[in-house]
Amino acid sequence: MTETKVKENEIVVPGEEIVSGMGYLPAYGTYRDGEMIRANKLGIVHVDGRAIKLVPLSGNYLPKRGDVMIGKVIDVTYSGWIVDTNSAYRAMLGLKEATSDFIRKGADLTKYFNFGDYLVAKILNVTSQNLIDLTMDGPGLRKLDTGRIIRVNPNKVPRIIGKEGSMVSMIKAETNCRITVGQNGVIWVSGNPKEELIAVSMIRKIERESHISGLTERIKAEIENAKKGESQ
Amino acid sequence: MSDNHILKNLESGTRFDGRKLLEYRKIEIKFDVSVNAEGAARVILGDTEVLAGVKVEMGTPYPDIPEEGVLMVGAELLPMSNPDFESGPPSIHAIELARVVDRGIRESKCVDFKKLCITPNEKVWTVCLDLVPVNDDGDLLDAFGLAGLAALKTMKFPKVDGDKIDYHEKTSAGIELRNLPIPVTVCKIDKYFIVDPSNEEEPAIEARLTVTSLEDGSLCALQKGGDKPLTSEDISTMVDIAIEKGKELRRVFESATKHR
Amino acid sequence: MTSSKRLDGRGFEETREIEAKIGIVKRADGSAMFRMGKTVAYAAVYGPRDLYPKFLQNPEKGIMRCNYNMMPFSGQGERVRPGPSRRSREIGMVTEKALSSVVNLDEFKNAVVDVFIEFPQTDAGSRCTGICAAALALADAGITMKDLVAAVAVGKVGDRLAVDLSYEEEALKDPDTTDIPMAFVPSTGEIVLLQMDGIISKDELMEAIELGKNACKKLNEIQVAALKKKFEVDKNE
């Protein structure tokens, strides 16, 4: 007889009992301890059929194949660039994946991407040893020009982007800022100073309140207020 | 890229967090740090949080100043406060911070070292002021300057029984600060001057000048930092800013330490 | 000496006043403050992150490093000289062993999770307070861990066992107090830290362990409440 101890959408902590009974399956963020399914992360419970999983509330970025992320060039080698991914693991961008130009052997690679440049790149592959390969070949992938870089909790990225991009599109439209959100929690914002500030504070607000419903309406109202305040 | 981008903000008179160029973040000074210290204070400057603590020992005076006590100022940049700080002996940044704060206190003569003498030529108080950050979001030096003064101002000497110190019993006697030397770090980005840089702004800073000033506008410590040079006009402007801001910070300090 | 009360009037199974708060170091990936009586521990976690020098990297599993440090103005008597001592290095090691038994190190091969435990104020039981804080900081950082860890020092004061020794109790002589710091995994009752300063019989030890386990259950409740409170506060902003 399965007896649910914890309801869906509740916040649980490592070791906490979620539900007892063999009818459920422990999925991401949970594990089975005899009859009991327990949390092994700090997160929100999500029941998906018979699977119990957690939506984590924190945790550093774990690179995944297919993710579009924003990385910073931290080294230039003879065969490519080494990119910081805002995670425990660095990534490699090889010559072939960086540009369709023909690059001569021994050419100065910093002409393409230099130390400190921020790139929007896609993760081609992550090996079992967490070696990461990037590509710049794809829509929207590019070197970023002038703007502001902020780092957010990568677990909040889905909320910041919104369903089919609705949240970030709304912020872009309301603040006239260009915004690119990396799956690794690195975000680029570019606009004029006052509106940039509004965009950034909205992103931070979503980061803080992501687990509360009704967020989209609240953010929209906040932006209206902020813009009114600016024009006074 | 952020380095150039910040210029757009500075041109329009604001910074990344909406502050004006010469605006400090919110400052709080608290005294909830350590009941075991002879004196201790916490300064919260925006998201930067630092602690200062005073411990005293009895020792022999330096032979050339036999009737004066001793002050030592140390800083340790704890790795807990910033992912770029490493464990180990004090880095050159920690040493610089401690020495600049020390010079402000020493050269201003805010502490009367003669009052730290117990028995001339034999026994004096050694006052150890230790500064540590809990969270580093920029401008540690100015935060340490305030925290150090707050800890010194509110410290109380422990009871002494002959040669033994009873740290559990505090007397009502402390160090009366004769003035308040306030360090203000003024930073130059392109042709703009800002104070109280946050972490996000630090990489854009080209040169900085820390000026420790007193109520009457006299200067008791100077430290230029950063890779780029400063003109004498720059220095003149920065000193004026530091004196002005010093007055502001002194008001905040005085109201926070009023009843202590 | 048989006493019916402790020096500070507490019951023999009673801990000191406990306080816990999450997120005290904004730059850290996870952080927490834990207080037991007058002992206050701050813990900050950074990681998983890149590990240098490279030769320290382990391709088979991640590494956790724990650093225990008392601030110079934290101690009851003289100033504490800054820098690692043999004592602080040993405590760092046993803390790391206690915490790694619940943390899934496989999830961050070649990388490191750094735990920094700092004390602004101490009054005995610092390593236990530090472990309680560190467990919270790891959870706050989103590290995968099968449970939190709670720790307490049980001692023999005079001829009675007492939970959560204060500095005064630890310092008693004739007979000297026996100090037994211990840490548990709350869901299983397994012991992940056990040390001792003093002399006791085996029966007393087993009894002390039971007392410690119960005390740690209560500490764990406070840990759990603190983690959840962090998100409740955000809700009401």
Side-chain angles (χ1 to χ4, degrees):
Chain A
M1 190 71 189
T2 53
E3 187 199 319
T4 311
K5 271 193 169 146
V6 174
K7 293 197 188 74
E8 178 147 1
N9 287 326
E10 266 195 45
I11 293 173
V12 291
V13 312
E16 187 169 345
E17 299 173 341
I18 301 179
V19 69
S20 75
M22 303 307 289
Y24 287 98
L25 295 168
Y28 181 79
T30 69
Y31 68 101
R32 179 170 282 292
D33 174 26
E35 281 279 316
M36 189 63 68
I37 291 185
R38 294 184 187 271
N40 63 18
K41 266 188 182 317
L42 177 64
I44 299 180
V45 178
H46 185 70
V47 180
D48 189 2
R50 292 204 305 153
I52 309 281
K53 69 175 191 183
L54 289 191
V55 175
L57 285 162
S58 57
N60 282 355
Y61 174 61
L62 279 171
K64 267 184 358 279
R65 187 207 296 209
D67 275 357
V68 173
M69 47 138 263
I70 296 178
K72 181 169 145 183
V73 175
I74 49 177
D75 207 355
V76 183
T77 70
Y78 62 88
S79 61
W81 299 262
I82 306 219
V83 178
D84 176 274
T85 58
N86 195 38
S87 77
Y89 306 101
R90 309 172 143 197
M92 182 71 192
L93 174 65
L95 289 179
K96 286 210 192 82
E97 295 296 341
T99 167
S100 49
D101 290 3
F102 171 72
I103 302 183
R104 265 181 327 110
K105 219 180 191 178
D108 179 6
L109 294 185
T110 63
K111 285 197 169 38
Y112 294 90
F113 306 124
N114 204 350
F115 295 91
D117 279 347
Y118 283 91
L119 312 174
V120 185
K122 185 152 132 180
I123 297 182
L124 265 184
N125 194 24
V126 182
T127 70
S128 59
Q129 289 301 304
N130 286 319
L131 299 169
I132 306 164
D133 288 310
L134 297 177
T135 181
M136 299 287 288
D137 184 12
L141 306 182
R142 64 201 190 280
K143 178 169 83 169
L144 286 169
D145 53 51
T146 183
R148 200 173 151 185
I149 295 284
I150 62 170
R151 280 178 177 70
V152 300
N153 178 342
N155 300 285
K156 312 291 173 128
V157 163
R159 266 308 222 154
I160 293 168
I161 293 177
K163 219 184 254 181
E164 286 167 24
S166 53
M167 181 71 89
V168 68
S169 302
M170 191 254 294
I171 300 177
K172 281 196 232 188
E174 296 286 330
T175 62
N176 293 312
C177 289
R178 291 179 295 155
I179 303 177
T180 301
V181 181
Q183 291 293 326
N184 58 343
V186 180
I187 300 180
W188 174 81
V189 182
S190 183
N192 73 53
K194 285 192 165 47
E195 293 178 307
E196 233 178 50
L197 181 58
I198 297 177
V200 169
S201 31
M202 288 308 107
I203 292 172
R204 291 270 176 235
K205 192 176 168 76
I206 299 167
E207 194 186 5
R208 278 195 310 273
E209 302 178 17
S210 66
H211 54 286
I212 307 165
S213 55
L215 196 54
T216 317
E217 296 78 53
R218 274 209 310 288
I219 296 289
K220 194 151 189 182
E222 283 271 343
I223 299 183
E224 299 288 337
N225 280 337
K227 281 160 76 172
K228 277 202 206 98
E230 281 305 318
S231 54
Q232 265 160 16
Chain B
M1 140 214 317
S2 287
D3 302 6
N4 293 325
H5 197 67
I6 199 175
L7 292 180
K8 275 170 73 177
N9 287 65
L10 296 176
E11 259 157 35
S12 70
T14 57
R15 295 153 70 169
F16 279 153
D17 58 3
R19 273 188 288 160
K20 298 206 220 15
L21 269 57
L22 297 181
E23 193 181 331
Y24 267 84
R25 290 168 289 179
K26 176 169 167 221
I27 303 174
E28 281 179 81
I29 305 181
K30 294 182 167 168
F31 298 93
D32 57 348
V33 176
S34 175
V35 299
N36 292 336
E38 276 70 87
R42 180 192 310 268
V43 168
I44 304 174
L45 173 58
D47 279 342
T48 289
E49 184 174 335
V50 307
L51 306 179
V54 172
K55 292 293 284 178
V56 300
E57 292 165 358
M58 285 197 298
T60 49
Y62 288 122
D64 51 338
I65 29 170
E67 297 183 16
E68 291 189 9
V70 174
L71 169 73
M72 295 199 316
V73 181
E76 199 182 337
L77 294 180
L78 303 178
M80 75 178 293
S81 62
N82 183 326
D84 298 330
F85 292 164
E86 284 169 11
S87 286
S91 65
I92 188 61
H93 301 290
I95 293 170
E96 184 189 24
L97 280 169
R99 287 176 64 86
V100 174
V101 171
D102 179 302
R103 285 201 287 276
I105 294 171
R106 204 176 293 279
E107 302 301 334
S108 64
K109 313 250 187 292
C110 68
V111 172
D112 185 353
F113 287 97
K114 290 203 161 57
K115 289 219 171 107
L116 297 180
C117 178
I118 303 171
T119 313
N121 291 306
E122 282 178 31
K123 225 191 298 174
V124 299
W125 285 113
T126 298
V127 177
C128 298
L129 172 64
D130 286 289
L131 309 166
V132 296
V134 172
N135 190 68
D136 178 13
D137 190 20
D139 205 23
L140 287 180
L141 206 155
D142 296 1
F144 278 151
L146 291 172
L149 284 180
L152 284 172
K153 180 177 176 190
T154 58
M155 68 82 74
K156 298 283 178 249
F157 287 98
K159 264 207 163 73
V160 176
D161 188 6
D163 267 339
K164 268 202 75 188
I165 299 179
D166 181 3
Y167 285 102
H168 288 102
E169 289 268 342
K170 285 201 171 85
T171 66
S172 58
I175 296 176
E176 274 174 52
L177 296 180
R178 295 190 282 197
N179 53 43
L180 295 175
I182 306 273
V184 170
T185 303
V186 186
C187 306
K188 186 166 185 232
I189 301 176
D190 193 68
K191 57 180 195 265
Y192 303 97
F193 297 104
I194 63 169
V195 293
D196 190 21
S198 70
N199 246 317
E200 207 183 348
E201 296 170 315
E202 294 258 349
I205 293 169
E206 293 164 4
R208 74 183 84 226
L209 184 68
T210 299
V211 181
T212 307
S213 62
L214 298 173
E215 289 91 345
D216 64 0
S218 53
L219 314 174
C220 53
L222 288 174
Q223 182 88 343
K224 180 210 172 285
D227 294 333
K228 297 252 164 60
L230 292 170
T231 66
S232 44
E233 286 82 31
D234 288 338
I235 298 206
S236 171
T237 307
M238 290 161 109
V239 167
D240 285 339
I241 292 172
I243 294 174
E244 169 86 30
K245 287 295 158 188
K247 291 199 165 85
E248 212 178 278
L249 293 180
R250 198 170 289 108
R251 277 197 295 273
V252 170
F253 180 89
E254 279 166 343
S255 89
T257 57
K258 217 170 13 190
H259 299 298
R260 297 196 165 258
Chain C
M1 161 178 93
T2 308
S3 35
S4 53
K5 266 234 165 90
R6 295 163 76 170
L7 289 174
D8 56 8
R10 273 188 288 155
F12 285 85
E13 298 188 32
E14 203 182 326
T15 63
R16 294 172 287 181
E17 190 181 68
I18 312 287
E19 198 186 334
K21 189 151 184 252
I22 310 296
I24 53 154
V25 178
K26 291 208 168 78
R27 282 202 78 172
D29 294 322
S31 62
M33 180 282 288
F34 201 84
R35 177 172 72 81
M36 290 172 73
K38 288 200 270 187
T39 297
V40 178
Y42 294 163
V45 166
Y46 288 96
R49 62 177 177 174
D50 220 351
L51 175 54
Y52 278 94
K54 222 170 162 177
F55 67 80
L56 289 178
Q57 290 183 7
N58 183 345
E60 287 175 33
K61 62 179 189 173
I63 292 175
M64 190 160 64
R65 293 189 292 204
C66 293
N67 202 281
Y68 166 104
N69 183 55
M70 289 166 57
M71 294 178 189
F73 42 82
S74 62
Q76 293 257 344
E78 285 180 2
R79 175 175 177 259
V80 178
R81 268 194 165 35
S85 61
R86 281 150 51 99
R87 174 179 173 271
S88 72
R89 292 181 64 185
E90 187 200 357
I91 294 177
M93 192 203 79
V94 296
T95 298
E96 183 255 304
K97 294 273 171 270
L99 295 169
S100 3
S101 47
V102 295
V103 166
N104 186 353
L105 298 171
D106 288 339
E107 277 196 13
F108 48 98
K109 300 189 207 311
N110 275 328
V112 65
V113 168
D114 277 318
V115 182
F116 298 105
I117 306 172
E118 295 279 344
F119 296 87
Q121 182 178 285
T122 57
D123 185 50
S126 60
R127 84 191 63 190
C128 296
T129 310
I131 288 172
C132 291
L136 285 174
L138 286 167
D140 185 39
I143 303 291
T144 302
M145 43 203 295
K146 67 175 195 184
D147 203 345
L148 297 169
V149 174
V152 76
V154 179
K156 187 175 171 194
V157 183
D159 61 356
R160 289 203 60 173
L161 292 175
V163 164
D164 190 18
L165 302 179
S166 68
Y167 180 82
E168 281 183 305
E169 288 175 318
E170 237 188 38
L172 287 174
K173 302 242 173 265
D174 294 322
D176 293 5
T177 299
T178 295
D179 178 20
I180 314 170
M182 53 186 81
F184 297 88
V185 177
S187 58
T188 60
E190 291 164 313
I191 297 160
V192 292
L193 176 118
L194 185 63
Q195 296 181 287
M196 185 175 76
D197 268 336
I199 296 186
I200 50 167
S201 70
K202 181 193 164 191
D203 284 346
E204 285 168 325
L205 172 65
M206 302 319 289
E207 195 189 333
I209 289 175
E210 284 311 303
L211 289 177
K213 202 186 291 188
N214 287 334
C216 282
K217 279 209 179 74
K218 297 205 195 87
L219 292 177
N220 182 239
E221 282 168 20
I222 295 173
Q223 288 175 310
V224 170
L227 280 169
K228 300 197 185 198
K229 185 153 189 227
K230 179 186 176 189
F231 299 96
E232 277 164 31
V233 172
D234 290 342
K235 228 179 199 166
N236 295 327
E237 246 172 45

